[in-house]
Amino acid sequence: MERREKHRTILVVGAPGSGKGTQGRILGNIPGFHHLACGDVFRSLDPGSELGKVFLAYSGKGRLVPDQFTVQLWLDHIRGAIHNGGFRPDEEVLVLDGIPRNLRQAEMMADYIDLNLLIYLDIADDDVLVERALRRALRENRLDDASEAVIRRRLREFERETAPLLEYYPVEVIRKVDGEQKPVDVLHDVIGIIQEADTVADF
């Protein structure tokens, strides 16, 4: 992205196991939205490549990948998606989950995203999150979620690193959704929020 044009963006935020990836993927299948999950971008890296080794070195221990590496990979992916026509920023709203993960990333990305909505999938019970993440690890063969100890470390890191985004972004763009509901009920709430925002924002 040679020009730092800001893309209309919906940010889906939630702890590991909250279902933010599920909701993001569904939105991405609706015309007018383009979903990008940072975790999926990382997992698509060749494990034998230099970037893949960096990712595995951190994710295998439940650690966050360094901010500069993460944001640069995101920018490269967005640039490629625009170039190949996969993302049409003039026609589509960008739906992000997993990035920005902390205040530093949010600051680094401020020149690139115009945040229309932040949808927070709230689940207060860590045991529910752990159970969901373990089920997902088995279903999707995700090594980064295969250990309960790693999951609980990631939950602590979410509270420390990502939850402060709820204070960083303007309160008027933040909407909270009960993430303990069935996925279809969460989707109902998310769609309702977007439809309501459509009356005041140019989606």
Side-chain angles (χ1 to χ4, degrees):
M1 270 183 307
E2 287 74 14
R3 292 185 300 111
R4 290 192 171 190
E5 56 187 12
K6 292 190 175 186
H7 304 306
R8 296 171 298 162
T9 302
I10 294 174
L11 179 59
V12 184
V13 174
S18 64
K20 64 183 183 297
T22 296
Q23 299 302 321
R25 283 191 296 273
I26 294 173
L27 290 178
N29 285 318
I30 299 174
F33 297 90
H34 178 83
H35 173 238
L36 176 60
C38 194
D40 290 344
V41 175
F42 278 132
R43 280 184 287 273
S44 70
L45 291 171
D46 179 357
S49 69
E50 183 177 350
L51 295 181
K53 290 177 181 177
V54 171
F55 169 66
L56 289 174
Y58 284 89
S59 66
K61 299 177 182 178
R63 303 296 185 187
L64 296 177
V65 177
D67 297 333
Q68 186 65 44
F69 174 86
T70 299
V71 173
Q72 187 59 54
L73 181 63
W74 174 78
L75 288 174
D76 290 347
H77 190 88
I78 288 291
R79 184 184 299 117
I82 293 173
H83 179 73
N84 65 28
F87 172 42
R88 300 180 302 278
D90 292 338
E91 304 173 15
E92 297 176 318
V93 176
L94 185 61
V95 179
L96 296 178
D97 80 73
I99 190 169
R101 279 190 171 181
N102 56 41
L103 296 180
R104 177 60 181 148
Q105 290 183 14
E107 292 168 353
M108 294 171 69
M109 295 170 63
D111 287 332
Y112 299 97
I113 65 173
D114 177 16
L115 188 64
N116 296 119
L117 279 174
L118 186 157
I119 299 173
Y120 174 44
L121 304 184
D122 182 32
I123 297 181
D125 189 342
D126 281 359
D127 290 337
V128 172
L129 293 166
V130 170
E131 181 182 353
R132 286 187 176 186
L134 286 172
R135 285 203 308 265
R136 180 179 64 187
L138 292 174
R139 184 173 63 249
E140 301 180 8
N141 192 30
R142 290 174 55 161
L143 298 179
D144 54 332
D145 282 340
S147 161
E148 180 173 343
V150 168
I151 295 169
R152 290 194 180 277
R153 186 181 303 123
R154 291 179 64 207
L155 291 176
R156 292 193 298 271
E157 287 178 333
F158 171 82
E159 288 299 325
R160 183 177 67 252
E161 297 277 340
T162 308
L165 292 176
L166 300 174
E167 302 294 331
Y168 173 79
Y169 288 114
V171 64
E172 57 265 25
V173 304
I174 297 175
R175 304 290 187 276
K176 183 183 291 188
V177 174
D178 179 5
E180 290 197 48
Q181 304 177 91
K182 295 178 181 179
V184 68
D185 294 324
V186 174
L187 178 62
H188 178 271
D189 289 352
V190 168
I191 294 296
I193 287 170
I194 293 173
Q195 288 177 324
E196 179 183 1
D198 191 32
T199 64
V200 295
D202 183 21
F203 279 136

